[in-house]
Amino acid sequence: MAIRTLIYSFDPRMSLSHLQFNQITPRLDKSVKNTHRSYNIIFAFISFVATLCSVYHRQRRMINYTNLAATALQMPKIGLGTLGVSPLEARPVINEALSMGYRLFDVAPVYFNEKEIGDAFHEATSSVPRTDVFVTSKLACPFHRPEHVEPALRKTLNDLRLGYLDLFLIHWPVAFKYVEFDPSVRGWENEDIDESDEGKLIDPSVSLRDTWAAMEALVDKGLVKHIGVANFPVILLHDLLSYSRIHPVVNQVEIHPYNQQSKLLAYCKSRNITVQAYSPLGTPGYKESGEPDVLADPLLKEIATNHRISVAQVCLQWSLQRGCHVVAKSSNKKHMEENLLMNHKNEFVTGATQLSLADMERIASLDRSYRFFRPEDWWKYTPVPVFH
């Protein structure tokens, strides 16, 4: 009876290290006088509990990952982008972001800072538990072949010093020829995984269907909670949905007032795919000479002045009111604070401004389908016009 009581009161989330001998002994039946028999009972019980824990964690992994991967996504609507965050900036930026209330961090191998960001996570002075932080990373183009997908993910996990990802995306719908790497070494010695040699290294023999099946296997193994895509046009999404066992929960694409992608947004909404906007401010730190400056647009500046907010806040609020999630990169404390219009519970912060219908309609008139990220310019030798 005493042992049965202990089994019912045992929390399977508790590790065996929490089961102290003096917590077990008082529950043994007082009639048990033989010391050796008592020890045998105790050790048999611990072995039984260990088995229960093992079964519990296997079931938890299957239920919470494979099944939930295709259900409603609980993801913060505003995240911190890390493209361009230098290794030296990683620790202070991550610490500052966690302290401010950021709970979503968007990273990628081809940003070449996952090792430093992982160290920042590990050494963070904030007491935020891992389960409250949403981490997204991406599959780089050289690792699209099915046999390379899991090793690439495990490399990212090792760099980030994490046991799992909340979201893993196919970064671009184009495969490159495989680049060898040492999975035991954290970080990257060079930038070969982001080199296409103007398209000469594109590998047209790799099927997205095969890549996606390998992505689904990562969910089955509990290595990632959710999977999705980035930079996918409607036609590729439509095809992917026809054969996927686990549907993509996110499509991360370039969206800002000059590239509004209204038809893609409508399609994703109809298929329950969350659209996450990257470069929501028009990449002010990366645009080339002669390119338009979203943050200098007269109309956006007028709306910002009317609401007494920054142009960046107008752009972010516009995306949020269209139903998008956003990832905004900044390592400037003031800008990081400005960009955080919603808390991690997806509630607007105190004082957040709502744009009027008239504001939204005026901003809609700015669309010119202008992209700052144009892969056809990068891959001139083997042009792959992803968005045309």
Side-chain angles (χ1 to χ4, degrees):
M1 181 66 70
I3 291 179
R4 186 181 299 115
T5 301
L6 181 54
I7 291 174
Y8 289 157
S9 63
F10 177 72
D11 183 349
R13 293 168 296 178
M14 185 187 298
S15 68
L16 288 178
S17 63
H18 292 122
L19 284 176
Q20 301 298 322
F21 182 79
N22 60 6
Q23 291 176 315
I24 300 174
T25 303
R27 296 192 178 214
L28 292 176
D29 195 306
K30 294 181 180 179
S31 65
V32 179
K33 297 179 181 181
N34 187 300
T35 303
H36 294 292
R37 184 183 175 196
S38 299
Y39 287 163
N40 288 338
I41 293 175
I42 292 170
F43 293 138
F45 169 71
I46 291 177
S47 177
F48 174 69
V49 169
T51 301
L52 285 180
C53 287
S54 177
V55 172
Y56 168 81
H57 286 295
R58 285 200 300 269
Q59 291 299 320
R60 179 176 177 269
R61 175 176 293 176
M62 288 164 45
I63 295 173
N64 286 358
Y65 287 35
T66 303
N67 291 349
L68 289 184
T71 64
L73 179 67
Q74 295 183 342
M75 179 175 72
K77 289 192 173 180
I78 294 183
L80 184 72
T82 59
L83 172 63
V85 173
S86 72
L88 292 177
E89 291 177 314
R91 283 179 176 82
V93 166
I94 296 300
N95 260 310
E96 196 72 62
L98 286 168
S99 299
M100 286 181 186
Y102 280 93
R103 293 296 180 267
L104 187 152
F105 296 87
D106 182 80
V107 304
V110 296
Y111 301 165
F112 300 105
N113 55 14
E114 285 191 328
K115 173 181 175 290
E116 290 74 22
I117 289 172
D119 292 339
F121 283 147
H122 187 70
E123 300 166 10
T125 57
S126 173
S127 59
V128 180
R130 168 66 182 96
T131 51
D132 287 355
V133 178
F134 195 104
V135 182
T136 300
S137 189
K138 307 173 188 76
L139 180 71
C141 295
F143 310 125
H144 279 211
R145 287 195 178 278
E147 64 269 24
H148 299 149
V149 172
E150 182 175 331
L153 170 67
R154 290 188 180 276
K155 162 69 172 165
T156 280
L157 292 176
N158 187 37
D159 285 351
L160 293 173
R161 302 176 73 165
L162 297 176
Y164 67 91
L165 289 180
D166 298 276
L167 177 62
F168 195 44
L169 307 176
I170 296 178
H171 204 157
W172 286 93
V174 176
F176 292 174
K177 292 181 180 178
Y178 177 64
V179 175
E180 291 187 0
F181 64 92
D182 185 344
S184 66
V185 176
R186 296 181 66 236
W188 298 94
E189 296 181 355
N190 51 54
E191 298 188 1
D192 287 354
I193 63 169
D194 196 34
E195 177 57 57
S196 71
D197 193 14
E198 296 190 323
K200 295 177 184 177
L201 298 180
I202 288 177
D203 186 351
S205 68
V206 182
S207 163
L208 279 173
R209 183 168 188 163
D210 292 340
T211 303
W212 190 255
M215 295 281 286
E216 292 172 325
L218 301 178
V219 179
D220 297 335
K221 294 180 179 180
L223 295 172
V224 301
K225 288 188 175 181
H226 301 281
I227 50 178
V229 297
N231 301 299
F232 268 49
V234 167
I235 193 63
L236 286 181
L237 279 176
H238 195 69
D239 185 54
L240 175 57
L241 291 175
S242 72
Y243 57 74
S244 57
R245 175 170 57 88
I246 300 174
H247 289 347
V249 295
V250 166
N251 187 20
Q252 187 184 100
V253 294
E254 179 185 344
I255 289 183
H256 45 75
Y258 286 0
N259 188 46
Q260 301 187 14
Q261 303 216 60
S262 298
K263 293 180 180 179
L264 173 68
L265 184 58
Y267 178 86
C268 288
K269 284 182 178 180
S270 72
R271 300 300 190 275
N272 197 31
I273 298 173
T274 296
V275 173
Q276 189 177 52
Y278 71 76
S279 298
L281 311 181
T283 64
Y286 298 97
K287 68 183 185 68
E288 298 176 7
S289 176
E291 291 193 291
D293 187 346
V294 173
L295 297 183
D297 186 90
L299 175 57
L300 295 177
K301 292 174 75 172
E302 178 189 333
I303 293 173
T305 299
N306 291 342
H307 289 286
R308 298 182 179 180
I309 59 178
S310 70
V311 176
Q313 288 175 316
V314 170
C315 293
L316 294 174
Q317 187 66 36
W318 168 80
S319 277
L320 292 170
Q321 288 185 213
R322 295 177 81 216
C324 294
H325 290 50
V326 295
V327 171
K329 181 269 172 182
S330 180
S331 55
N332 178 285
K333 182 178 179 179
K334 179 177 181 293
H335 293 162
M336 288 167 66
E337 290 176 337
E338 280 186 355
N339 294 346
L340 198 60
L341 299 180
M342 302 183 82
N343 61 26
H344 65 282
K345 296 180 180 178
N346 290 335
E347 302 165 335
F348 281 104
V349 298
T350 302
T353 299
Q354 295 289 308
L355 300 179
S356 67
L357 179 59
D359 291 332
M360 297 294 288
E361 290 176 345
R362 295 179 73 193
I363 295 174
S365 70
L366 297 177
D367 190 17
R368 58 181 80 174
S369 299
Y370 189 89
R371 299 177 185 277
F372 292 94
F373 293 88
R374 301 179 294 274
E376 60 271 20
D377 291 349
W378 311 334
W379 306 327
K380 296 177 182 178
Y381 183 84
T382 308
V384 182
V386 176
F387 305 120
H388 300 283

